[in-house]
Amino acid sequence: MAASRSSARRLDPARLLGIAFLAIVALVWSTPLAWMIVASFRPQSFGGLDMASLTPNFTPTLANWREALDSADFARLYLNTAIVCLGILGVQLVTITLAGWAFARLEFRGRTVLFYAFLLQLMLVPPILIVPNLVTITRLGLYDTLTAVMAPYFASAFGVFLMRQTFRTIPRDYEEAAVVEGAAWWQVVGRVLVPLARPGLVAFSIVSVVAHWNEFLWPLMVVSSTENQTLTIGLASFTQGAESASQWGVIAAGTFLVAAPLMTAFALFQRQFVNSFLFSGVK
């Protein structure tokens, strides 16, 4: 009886239809990635419609990868991008934790109004702030430095909102117990609230790193020397020449080099990623 019920559940038409739909969506979503992988190993002798084929009907070659690596200093680009992403994240974790705690726990006049005013930043399109940010960076003497790339992102309205909501889900009993034991407010935040809010911090960290790893416009505006370029700027620089020669295999290999770290991290820590987003409600 139980076996028949389980088999009927497995053969449920609605469930099968849902699986088929998700499979189609996954296939469509992964098509550009599949083309990028195939094209990166395709010899440059293939041209025209052959470059658009997803079928690896050729002898694979590493020539595109070698040319892509020779066309840009990927070691420096990786280092600069890692410094930018981790530097931004390090400061953000401090600012959003303290601001989120203040909005969630402290009682002060105008707290709600100030919080919603703070959230108005979420309604601003980032390109709107490029000119005033660029003027500020130039006056501070930070132009063409990695600090200039990082500075506008040291505070995050989304991060403050996320941490405020996360702290509000934590019972006050933990804090009150710590205060009774003689803990100061910074000890309560650092040793009680932060460990309990770890899933929310992990979810925000993922969003932050992915966003700034792929950031293009702002680094393009504030960096002029090749020594301070990030991956996206370096990729754009060497693909301009490759496009003129229709070297799509080289472009595909270079694009894969930029995206590979994030894809590898997601493949290795997929379960942790999903669990963090489910806990925090990030969609």
Side-chain angles (χ1 to χ4, degrees), residues 21-148:
F21 175 75
L22 292 177
I24 294 174
V25 171
L27 179 63
V28 173
W29 179 87
S30 61
T31 298
L33 178 62
W35 179 87
M36 180 177 65
I37 295 174
V38 173
S40 65
F41 291 100
R42 192 186 300 272
Q44 289 297 333
S45 57
F46 283 74
L49 295 179
D50 290 331
M51 289 302 299
S53 174
L54 290 175
T55 306
N57 55 341
F58 55 87
T59 302
T61 177
L62 295 176
N64 295 325
W65 294 84
R66 286 192 292 266
E67 186 170 349
L69 290 171
D70 292 339
S71 300
D73 188 359
F74 275 94
R76 178 178 291 277
L77 295 176
Y78 276 124
L79 178 61
N80 290 343
T81 305
I83 292 174
V84 168
C85 292
L86 296 180
I88 292 174
L89 179 61
V91 177
Q92 282 182 335
L93 291 180
V94 176
T95 57
I96 68 172
T97 298
L98 295 177
W101 170 77
F103 283 122
R105 290 294 193 256
L106 297 184
E107 298 289 344
F108 55 91
R109 182 178 300 177
R111 182 184 66 172
T112 302
V113 175
L114 181 60
F115 176 68
Y116 285 116
F118 191 81
L119 289 184
L120 287 177
Q121 297 179 58
L122 295 175
M123 303 178 64
L124 297 177
V125 182
I128 294 178
L129 302 176
I130 285 182
V131 173
N133 285 343
L134 184 59
V135 171
T136 302
I137 290 297
T138 303
R139 289 178 177 176
L140 292 175
L142 297 177
Y143 184 79
D144 195 22
T145 64
L146 295 181
T147 304

Side-chain angles (χ1 to χ4, degrees), residues 181-196:
E181 293 295 328
W185 69 266
W186 61 85
Q187 294 173 317
V188 173
V189 175
R191 298 182 182 181
V192 178
L193 293 178
V194 169
L196 294 174

Side-chain angles (χ1 to χ4, degrees), residues 225-278:
S225 62
T226 56
E227 290 79 10
N228 293 319
Q229 288 182 343
T230 57
L231 277 169
T232 52
I233 307 304
L235 177 64
S237 299
F238 95 85
T239 53
Q240 289 178 352
E243 285 181 355
S244 62
S246 299
Q247 295 175 309
W248 303 114
V250 178
I251 296 175
T255 304
F256 191 86
L257 288 172
V258 174
L262 293 181
M263 291 190 296
T264 303
F266 179 78
L268 293 177
F269 304 104
Q270 182 178 3
R271 184 177 298 275
Q272 291 85 339
F273 288 177
V274 174
N275 290 341
S276 298
F277 286 125
L278 289 177

Side-chain angles (χ1 to χ4, degrees), residues 9 17 57 153 190 243:
R9 197 179 298 117
L17 183 62
N57 55 341
Y153 302 105
E243 285 181 355

